Amino acid sequence: MQYIREDIRLIYYITNSTEVITLKKTSLIIGFLSVFLVLSIFMYITVNPPLSANGVSSFSDDKMKIVVEIVNSGFSNIKIKSVLVNGNNAQNIELGVSRTNHLVIGGGLEEDRYITFHNINELEVQPELPIEELKRLNEKRDTQIIKHHGLRVIGKEIPEKIMIKYTYLGIPFSLEVDVKE
């Protein structure tokens, strides 16, 4: 009878030890896969920065004004930190947003009541909307959702290069835009 009890204890101990080892292996595998996934996403984002410039327009009245259309091709908002013009900190920079299909570039920006300009710290650059979503919003004549973004630099200096420094998912990036005519 005593041998049977000892055999049962031994079987119970082996079973529980196997479960603990299996749980540790599973936890270790999940940990490695999580680290691999995070590193893969980080590498993808650093190789494919989300912010791009699709066009530049300029005009001058009493000051030189350059407008750069910017597009966020990522899946999260972009926070613009600073803008350099020809390597110097720009003083008068505004983030333009359009709530219609009018791009924030070219003429008529001041006259369009659905295009507004804000301090770069006031708003973030939202991800680009899919074409189907833009068509649907246009059919509904929606003027609440931001559809396009642009960056306006106002000054006396004629810019050759504009450097936009921003963060995406907490990772710092920069975009250099050549604005020579």
Side-chain angles (χ1 to χ4, degrees):
M1 192 71 155
Q2 184 174 356
Y3 292 115
I4 295 174
R5 284 186 191 155
E6 287 178 9
D7 287 344
I8 291 174
R9 283 185 196 151
L10 183 62
I11 291 171
Y12 178 76
Y13 176 75
I14 291 171
T15 305
N16 283 340
S17 295
T18 306
E19 288 175 5
V20 169
I21 291 171
T22 305
L23 184 62
K24 285 182 181 179
K25 284 182 182 178
T26 304
S27 298
L28 193 60
I29 290 171
I30 290 173
F32 280 129
L33 288 176
S34 299
V35 168
F36 178 75
L37 181 65
V38 168
L39 287 175
S40 297
I41 291 171
F42 178 77
M43 292 299 295
Y44 176 79
I45 290 171
T46 55
V47 171
N48 300 300
L51 190 66
S52 61
N54 284 357
V56 177
S57 65
S58 65
F59 57 97
S60 92
D61 39 25
D62 58 334
K63 295 182 180 177
M64 183 66 160
K65 296 179 182 177
I66 301 284
V67 180
V68 179
E69 179 195 6
I70 54 176
V71 177
N72 176 359
S73 58
F75 54 85
S76 181
N77 288 353
I78 287 175
K79 176 79 175 153
I80 296 177
K81 294 297 187 179
S82 67
V83 178
L84 304 175
V85 176
N86 298 335
N88 303 315
N89 277 328
Q91 298 301 316
N92 197 353
I93 311 146
E94 299 170 323
L95 178 63
V97 295
S98 172
R99 291 175 166 78
T100 64
N101 281 340
H102 188 173
L103 299 175
V104 186
I105 193 169
L109 300 179
E110 301 295 333
E111 295 81 28
D112 191 334
R113 67 183 181 144
Y114 297 112
I115 294 179
T116 55
F117 288 91
H118 307 267
N119 185 309
I120 61 169
N121 299 321
E122 204 174 313
L123 296 173
E124 294 182 343
V125 181
Q126 299 170 354
E128 180 180 30
L129 294 173
I131 301 251
E132 298 80 28
E133 179 75 7
L134 284 172
K135 286 179 183 178
R136 187 184 64 75
L137 292 171
N138 188 39
E139 289 170 1
K140 288 175 48 177
R141 300 201 184 278
D142 177 85
T143 57
Q144 299 301 312
I145 295 176
I146 295 173
K147 297 171 184 76
H148 303 285
H149 297 82
L151 197 63
R152 180 164 69 180
V153 178
I154 303 171
K156 295 181 180 177
E157 183 179 6
I158 298 175
E160 292 182 10
K161 290 192 185 295
I162 295 176
M163 173 78 71
I164 304 168
K165 294 185 177 188
Y166 64 98
T167 57
Y168 179 73
L169 297 175
I171 304 168
F173 289 94
S174 63
L175 171 67
E176 188 172 296
V177 183
D178 187 6
V179 293
K180 292 180 193 173
E181 293 185 45

